[in-house]
């Protein structure tokens, strides 16, 4: 059963934490976070939360529970050079133009 707390106050930024731990016996990942950004991000992976907290506006600000059938991995942030950034921007722009063209073509085939 999920314990739901309403009208919680968001923790000060310097006190917020996210703890993700692994239980080897049950092979289960467990998460506790009072960082609103992380609570929203991981909510979809916790199908049976133990605790959830919402602020007065109804926004999720705290989450605790097991990550169901999941795997946790951490990756390093990418640091792109200006040249790499420009190359990716051009590729994305080309893909968007191509997608728009194919949508227009599909729409014109309708009788």
């Amino acid at each position: 059963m999920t314990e739901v707390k309403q009208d919680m106050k968001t923790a000060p930024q310097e006190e917020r934490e996210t703890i993700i731990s692994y239980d080897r016996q049950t092979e289960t990942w467990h998460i506790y976070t009072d960082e609103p950004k992380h609570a929203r991000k991981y909510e979809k992976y916790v199908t049976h939360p133990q605790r959830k907290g919402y602020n007065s506006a109804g926004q999720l600000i705290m989450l605790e529970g097991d990550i169901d059938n999941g795997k946790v991995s951490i990756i390093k942030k990418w640091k792109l050079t200006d040249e790499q950034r420009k190359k990716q921007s051009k590729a994305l722009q080309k893909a968007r133009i191509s997608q728009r063209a194919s949508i227009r073509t599909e729409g014109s085939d309708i009788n």
Side-chain angles (χ1 to χ4, degrees):
M1 183 163 169
T2 304
E3 176 187 340
V4 178
K5 295 182 179 181
Q6 299 290 341
D7 296 329
M8 285 183 67
K9 296 217 184 265
T10 305
Q13 282 188 335
E14 61 275 358
E15 294 179 16
R16 294 180 196 171
E17 62 184 358
T18 297
I19 301 168
I20 301 175
S21 59
Y22 181 70
D23 182 341
R24 186 71 176 138
Q25 289 181 329
T26 62
E27 296 184 348
T28 305
W29 288 94
H30 184 82
I31 184 168
Y32 167 81
T33 184
D34 60 356
E35 170 62 53
K37 179 179 173 181
H38 296 165
R40 291 188 304 271
K41 177 180 179 178
Y42 290 104
E43 181 181 26
K44 62 186 169 191
Y45 301 111
V46 180
T47 56
H48 302 292
Q50 294 167 354
R51 293 191 302 162
K52 281 181 148 185
Y54 295 89
N55 63 13
S56 58
Q59 299 166 323
L60 181 66
I61 60 169
M62 190 270 293
L63 175 68
E64 181 176 8
D66 293 331
I67 298 173
D68 298 323
N69 300 319
K71 201 193 252 190
V72 175
S73 64
I74 298 171
I75 59 171
K76 190 175 180 180
K77 278 190 172 185
W78 295 353
K79 291 186 179 181
L80 300 176
T81 64
D82 287 337
E83 185 178 318
Q84 290 171 323
R85 195 174 286 114
K86 286 178 185 176
K87 186 176 178 181
Q88 284 192 349
S89 177
K90 286 180 183 178
L92 181 60
Q93 186 177 17
K94 185 178 177 182
R96 286 179 178 156
I97 290 169
S98 176
Q99 183 181 18
R100 287 183 196 138
S102 68
I103 290 171
R104 287 186 189 133
T105 304
E106 289 173 7
S108 65
D109 291 343
I110 299 173
N111 290 329

